């Protein structure tokens, strides 16, 4: 399977992402919590450049031990990639749509060798 070199591992330090072209398709490559993921840069809603969106913690409901609602907070464990066009959210770790987990961004395979990062369909 053909691979595309997207850079060195060091270039992805500190949450850096890259948008690269793989066989004519724009692909967003992320290093998220030490693990690489890559998705087609095309939102499932209307084709927006989803990989250019912000990363934000999933909104969680806070329920106390008595079952009372104590408001909301942003998760520190689960992050969502938010499409910049209309705000559809996707789990950055899997590409699954937060509103409908049956749908997911098209994922690409990411491999590292000799401190270099490669992406393939
Ligand atoms: S195109 Fe992404 S939310 Fe509409």
């Amino acid at each position: 399977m053909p691979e595309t070199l997207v850079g060195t591992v060091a270039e992805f330090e500190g949450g850096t992402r890259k948008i690269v072209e793989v066989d004519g398709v724009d692909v967003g490559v992320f290093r998220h919590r030490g693990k690489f993921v890559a998705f087609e840069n095309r939102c499932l809603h209307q084709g927006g450049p989803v990989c250019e969106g912000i990363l934000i913690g999933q909104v969680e409901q806070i329920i106390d031990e008595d079952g009372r609602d104590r408001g909301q907070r942003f998760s520190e464990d689960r992050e969502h990639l938010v499409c910049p066009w209309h705000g559809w959210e996707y789990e950055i770790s899997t590409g699954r749509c937060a509103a409908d987990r049956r749908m997911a961004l098209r994922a690409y395979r990411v491999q590292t060798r000799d401190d270099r990062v490669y992406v393939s369909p």
Side-chain angles (χ1 to χ4, degrees):
M1 189 157 301
E3 295 178 318
T4 301
L5 174 64
V6 298
T8 66
V9 171
E11 289 173 344
F12 286 87
E13 293 295 332
T16 303
R17 74 183 79 172
K18 285 190 174 186
I19 310 291
V20 298
E21 188 178 312
V22 178
D23 292 337
V25 175
D26 283 346
V27 175
V29 183
F30 300 81
R31 187 175 187 190
H32 178 65
R33 301 188 180 197
K35 182 181 172 199
F36 284 95
V37 292
F39 304 106
E40 181 177 2
N41 187 21
R42 180 176 170 76
C43 180
L44 299 175
H45 179 219
Q46 291 182 355
V50 63
C51 295
E52 298 172 22
I54 63 169
L55 284 167
I56 193 167
Q58 174 184 333
V59 175
E60 299 175 330
Q61 207 69 32
I62 305 167
I63 307 294
D64 70 15
E65 60 271 3
D66 297 323
R68 287 184 292 221
D69 185 346
R70 295 298 184 188
Q72 297 177 326
R73 67 181 168 219
F74 291 109
S75 172
E76 294 180 6
D77 300 325
R78 295 181 178 186
E79 282 188 285
H80 286 176
L81 176 62
V82 183
C83 180
W85 280 11
H86 314 100
W88 278 36
E89 297 185 22
Y90 300 88
E91 296 173 352
I92 187 62
S93 58
T94 64
R96 285 203 173 116
C97 180
D100 185 344
R101 293 175 51 81
R102 293 172 298 177
M103 302 190 303
L105 299 172
R106 181 178 174 203
Y108 280 68
R109 182 177 176 163
V110 185
Q111 291 186 299
T112 58
R113 283 191 312 277
D114 301 326
D115 196 43
R116 294 174 195 263
V117 182
Y118 298 89
V119 172
S120 56

